[in-house]
Amino acid sequence: MSLVIYNTLTRQKEVFKPLEEGKVKMYVCGPTVYNYIHIGNARPAIVFDTVRRYLAYRGYDVNFISNFTDVDDKLIKAAKELGTDVPTVAERFIHSYHEDVCALGVQKADHHPRVTETMPEIIDFIGRLIEKGYAYEAQGDVYFKTRAFEGYGKLSHQSIDDLRSGARIEVGEIKKDPLDFALWKAAKEGEIYWESPWGNGRPGWHIECSAMAKKYLGDSIDIHGGGQDLTFPHHENEIAQSEALNEAPMARYWMHNGYININNEKMSKSLGNFVLVHDMIKEYDPQVIRFFMMAVHYRNPINFSDELLQSAQASLNRIRTAYDNLKHRQGISADLAEDAEIWEAKVNQFKQSFTSEMDDDFNTANAIAVLFDAARDANVYLQSENTSKSVLTAFITLFEELTGVLGLTLTAEKELLDEEIEALIEERNQARKERNFARADEIRDQLKDMNIILEDTPQGVRWKRQ
């Protein structure tokens, strides 16, 4: 089966064919670094990290770029509130971003370009758009002539007339058409600025990604990603700028992840219901947060709540416990079982099923379901009195390989929960009733390795943490 990707531009799944065989050029819009990131910012970081990992797993050489917006109105406001300057605010929260997403298992991009480090390219980009008749200067500002670009609205599937009816000119703007958008903003008194042919100022939001994508990946790229909220106007405007200048499609495939709701309400700062990752990872295993995100297809909305996170933790622990049991048995098994080839074939089928699900537009939800099926069969196999080391090794390799693709670790950072201990004790009791004493002893040893001491009494099994 070929890898297929849902393309927002065409609104259908398409077979993935990169511009250059075996290589993928991928750009994902990063955060504006004026504060800690919230759970909504974390979703695209996790989603596109997983996409990148899977493409690499499939053998592609991936060049992954994700930017930082390190100067804009929000940063200027934050700097004033904190009594410092814009670069200091940006540096602080870039550092915090890396700490937070690293905890979530997100790998660093090949490059994390910043607006402030790309100013020559941005100014050159704007100047060439003016030369080609796609932009104009107005009292120190520069605006893109939206109507000059044929096909504006093709990503968001909106007509120019529908967009015109909802557009307006803000106070202080001197653009010719309400649909035109800023490429360069004249500096206000006291603001950070750069020199340009149009006077001192700074870039508009949309131009930065066009310039950075061009600098690091070229005129056309394979995949451009971001949150659903970026489809319009940000990505629509990127297409207009880039394709007007480069006269080539900006990206072959446009990918967008769905929104996050908090307790069934759309997350928004106006409602005060946003949750900072910086705070969440102090309360939850960051891997559980990542698992929670991937348990839903990336294009679907996610409802976030404490109860759902606790459920995700229990689900991830099912896979981890199966893996721990396999590792424990591996050390005491020999290659004596006669059905080893049958079980090894089953393990291989799980790998094929996982790949098939991920090939279908990176369906992590179904891929995780395959891991659950593998954990179930692994537990069934572990009930056998005679197990083969080759089968155990095959299961272990499967879990390590596939969870690695998803960016998950199989070692829990937190100690076993009481209910997980009770579940293992109940499994041990059942094994003893069935006179499967080898399995019962194995569970006792496993708990001992985790510093859980069992005491068999006439009233039942008691346990304590060592």
Side-chain angles (χ1 to χ4, degrees), residues 131-327:
E131 291 173 4
K132 294 187 73 170
Y134 284 102
Y136 58 92
E137 186 268 340
Q139 298 181 26
D141 293 339
V142 180
Y143 294 96
F144 185 86
K145 284 199 262 185
T146 302
R147 290 184 184 276
F149 178 71
E150 186 178 350
Y152 187 82
K154 63 183 178 181
L155 181 67
S156 55
H157 299 266
Q158 303 178 81
S159 72
I160 197 83
D161 293 328
D162 289 341
L163 291 168
R164 173 68 177 80
S165 65
R168 62 181 182 178
I169 298 177
E170 301 289 346
V171 175
E173 291 184 323
I174 44 179
K175 53 190 179 182
K176 297 176 181 177
D177 187 314
L179 280 175
D180 296 347
F181 56 88
L183 301 175
W184 187 261
K185 298 179 178 182
K188 296 175 184 176
E189 187 175 352
E191 285 186 351
I192 188 172
Y193 67 84
W194 284 261
E195 295 178 355
S196 81
W198 321 286
N200 295 337
R202 56 188 170 84
W205 177 34
H206 312 298
I207 191 67
E208 62 186 62
C209 288
S210 286
M212 286 187 268
K214 180 179 177 65
K215 177 179 179 179
Y216 287 93
L217 298 173
D219 292 352
S220 293
I221 67 176
D222 295 297
I223 297 173
H224 196 317
Q228 185 179 330
D229 56 314
L230 297 184
T231 307
F232 184 87
H234 186 51
H235 288 168
E236 194 75 70
N237 290 350
E238 278 190 60
I239 287 175
Q241 298 162 159
S242 294
E243 297 187 4
L245 179 63
N246 300 325
E247 299 180 4
M250 184 180 186
R252 276 197 171 186
Y253 306 90
W254 289 85
M255 296 178 64
H256 296 92
N257 62 269
Y259 292 113
I260 288 185
N261 298 321
I262 306 291
N263 294 318
N264 295 309
E265 281 190 319
K266 183 179 178 181
M267 186 182 71
S268 72
K269 292 189 175 178
S270 61
L271 293 174
N273 64 348
F274 65 97
V275 183
L276 297 178
V277 174
H278 189 72
D279 296 327
M280 283 186 66
I281 59 178
K282 296 175 184 176
E283 184 176 354
Y284 292 98
D285 178 351
Q287 283 281 297
V288 171
I289 299 171
R290 185 181 180 103
F291 182 88
F292 168 78
M293 294 281 192
M294 290 190 294
V296 177
H297 190 280
Y298 77 88
R299 284 190 284 114
N300 294 337
I302 291 181
N303 185 45
F304 171 86
S305 69
D306 288 334
E307 292 79 9
L308 290 172
L309 265 182
Q310 289 165 7
S311 175
Q313 181 160 355
S315 296
L316 178 57
N317 285 338
R318 281 170 54 194
I319 296 170
R320 285 173 165 173
T321 299
Y323 175 77
D324 288 341
N325 290 342
L326 289 162
K327 290 282 284 185

Side-chain angles (χ1 to χ4, degrees), residues 405-421:
V405 173
L406 298 178
L408 296 170
T409 59
L410 289 164
T411 303
E413 293 187 5
K414 296 185 177 181
E415 62 185 10
L416 281 176
L417 300 175
D418 288 0
E419 54 265 34
E420 294 170 315
I421 296 169

Side-chain angles (χ1 to χ4, degrees), residues 342-354 394 398:
I342 296 173
W343 278 99
E344 287 169 10
K346 284 186 178 183
V347 172
N348 189 54
Q349 183 57 52
F350 285 128
K351 183 176 178 179
Q352 292 178 28
S353 297
F354 178 93
L398 177 80

Side-chain angles (χ1 to χ4, degrees), residues 51-92:
V51 170
R52 175 195 190 182
R53 286 172 180 269
Y54 186 68
L55 289 169
Y57 177 72
R58 293 280 262 107
Y60 291 103
D61 178 11
V62 184
N63 189 358
F64 184 86
I65 309 298
S66 184
N67 73 297
F68 288 121
T69 297
D70 61 342
V71 59
D72 85 333
D73 291 338
K74 293 176 182 176
L75 276 132
I76 292 170
K77 181 181 178 183
K80 287 180 179 178
E81 291 174 348
L82 295 170
T84 186
D85 56 23
V86 168
T88 300
V89 173
E91 197 63 42
R92 172 186 172 185

